[in-house]
Amino acid sequence: MNFAIVGCGFIAKKHAQAIENIEEAKLIAVCDKVTAAMKYYTETYGATPYTEMTDLLEDEQLDVVCICTPSGLHAPLAEAAAKAKKHIILEKPIAMTLAETDRIIKACHENKVKLAVVHPNRFRPVVQELRNILDKGLLGKISHASCIVNWNRNQEYYDQAPWRGTKQYDGGVLMNQAIHNLDLLLWFMGQAEQVFSMEATRLRNIEAEDVSTGVIRFKSGALGTVQAATTVYPRNYEESITIFGEKGTIKIGGANALYFEHLQIEGMTETEAQALKEKVKSDPWGTPGHQHIVSDMIEAIKEERNPAVTGEDGKRALELVLAFYESAELNQPIELKEGDYACR
């Protein structure tokens, strides 16, 4: 199938590499307002360059569009792609508001095209193993969970482009970095019902937050805590999710949540636990998540099914971020009721 990339910034290279690694995929076009940004893709992959999305979408050979622009531009571009009958792989977050998200999902449904949102952490080997443990019910009733993203994004990172760290086009640590972990938390724990959050902009010269803490009550009755920051010195320190159940405790962690840091389950011997830890450790990254998403999109089209990470999945993660934002602004708990939240 033929792919195009819209927005040739940093993340676009991951899409291009994923497409190149899949036999059934080919990158045939790229689109960016800055001609120089497309040079790498035209020279490396032979992709046709376009400076206008409308011209790109007229290519009848094009099957799938990967949208890699600043987040605040996702909605109009995704709507245009859907109306042109092109399937869509959309970088996270799906959009900046729920109203924009609903427009994207509606356009895809009306035009019968597939929509996949890029939450690649779901495909990490340790995450897949944890999901398998939860699916088997080996932890029993879940008491609570914690989610931590203590990373470094220095001022140079934010100064790379004028849209970084803005509320309109990017958001802060929750919207840009921790949204992947919030997606995993929802995937593991189920629907969130209530949140309370505090946030601050402590060290970076940006409009959005660089540190955030919050608590969640899930529909199941379980509780969760979230801590996220880009202020950690001097480099990424910890990305982890810990789940506490009546029959076990599991922590996946490290600087990038790639390993079992703690694995203790009723009935599982120390030898079995160590074997599972070593299995993950032998190939912690596995196949790149973007490659999984591109490959899954091809299979979803062929099999006429939904992609593994749907627009609705992307919406749930966004809804949680926006609820955190509103709670911090109002300094009060927020009930999650779909459609209530808009980015400040």
Side-chain angles (χ1 to χ4, degrees):
M1 294 184 185
N2 293 323
F3 286 73
I5 295 174
V6 178
C8 295
F10 169 78
I11 203 66
K13 287 188 177 180
K14 290 193 175 184
H15 287 257
Q17 290 164 1
I19 293 165
E20 184 182 33
N21 289 336
I22 297 169
E23 189 174 345
E24 295 177 281
K26 183 179 180 181
L27 179 63
I28 67 167
V30 288
C31 181
D32 200 291
K33 292 289 187 183
V34 181
T35 303
M38 297 186 281
K39 184 178 179 182
Y40 168 80
Y41 303 93
T42 58
E43 292 182 350
T44 306
Y45 303 101
T48 301
Y50 294 90
T51 56
E52 296 296 332
M53 178 86 159
T54 51
D55 295 333
L56 168 75
L57 295 176
E58 289 177 0
D59 188 342
E60 294 183 357
Q61 297 182 36
L62 180 60
D63 300 300
V64 184
V65 175
C66 299
I67 297 177
C68 304
T69 63
S71 306
L73 301 176
H74 285 181
L77 298 176
E79 287 181 276
K83 290 174 183 176
K85 311 295 183 184
K86 310 301 182 186
H87 303 289
I88 301 164
I89 293 176
L90 186 56
E91 266 296 335
K92 62 75 191 170
I94 184 171
M96 297 300 287
T97 72
L98 292 184
E100 290 176 338
T101 300
D102 287 339
R103 293 206 314 267
I104 293 170
I105 292 173
K106 181 181 179 182
C108 291
H109 285 168
E110 288 180 346
N111 291 282
K112 297 180 172 57
V113 298
K114 309 294 183 187
L115 171 62
V117 180
V118 180
H119 282 295
N121 295 11
R122 289 194 186 194
F123 301 98
R124 291 176 178 176
V126 72
V127 170
Q128 289 285 315
E129 293 290 352
L130 176 50
R131 177 61 193 248
N132 185 47
I133 288 168
L134 291 170
D135 286 345
K136 290 179 178 178
L138 298 182
L139 298 187
K141 187 176 182 179
I142 304 301
S143 164
H144 63 294
S146 71
C147 171
I148 297 174
V149 183
N150 276 322
W151 278 0
N152 173 275
R153 294 292 184 270
N154 59 24
Q155 192 61 46
E156 290 179 1
Y157 167 84
Y158 291 105
D159 290 343
Q160 290 178 77
W163 56 268
R164 288 191 182 276
T166 64
K167 293 176 180 178
Q168 183 176 1
Y169 293 108
D170 190 29
V173 61
L174 284 178
M175 188 74 82
N176 196 3
Q177 283 82 27
I179 194 168
H180 286 304
N181 311 84
L182 296 180
D183 170 69
L184 292 183
L185 200 59
L186 292 170
W187 199 43
F188 293 150
M189 301 291 290
Q191 182 180 338
E193 277 194 336
Q194 187 184 60
V195 305
F196 181 75
S197 177
M198 293 185 183
E199 66 182 48
T201 308
R202 294 289 295 162
L203 302 183
R204 306 299 175 229
N205 183 24
I206 59 175
E207 189 179 15
E209 82 288 350
D210 61 13
V211 60
S212 174
T213 62
V215 294
I216 304 171
R217 183 185 301 278
F218 294 95
K219 189 174 182 179
S220 66
L223 302 180
T225 61
V226 175
Q227 179 187 124
T230 54
T231 58
V232 176
Y233 180 84
R235 62 185 66 88
N236 289 0
Y237 174 70
E238 178 182 11
E239 177 188 1
S240 68
I241 292 180
T242 310
I243 298 180
F244 302 88
E246 61 180 333
K247 297 181 179 180
T249 301
I250 296 178
K251 179 180 182 179
I252 60 174
N256 295 99
L258 295 174
Y259 308 99
F260 282 114
E261 286 197 344
H262 187 88
L263 178 60
Q264 197 162 20
I265 301 173
E266 182 180 295
M268 177 180 283
T269 67
E270 184 60 35
T271 300
E272 290 170 332
Q274 190 61 34
L276 188 53
K277 288 180 181 180
E278 292 299 325
K279 176 186 174 183
V280 167
K281 195 174 180 180
S282 67
D283 186 18
W285 290 101
T287 301
H290 283 77
Q291 188 170 325
H292 274 289
I293 287 170
V294 171
S295 179
D296 177 72
M297 172 59 83
I298 293 171
E299 295 304 313
I301 294 169
K302 289 162 61 176
E303 297 170 9
E304 298 185 354
R305 61 166 173 83
N306 288 328
V309 187
T310 65
E312 286 77 12
D313 291 328
K315 180 177 179 177
R316 277 187 282 272
L318 174 66
E319 182 182 30
L320 185 55
V321 171
L322 296 180
F324 272 126
Y325 281 169
E326 184 162 348
S327 175
E329 185 172 19
L330 299 178
N331 194 32
Q332 67 183 41
I334 296 294
E335 303 288 334
L336 272 82
K337 295 179 181 177
E338 192 173 85
D340 280 355
Y341 312 111
C343 193
R344 294 167 296 164

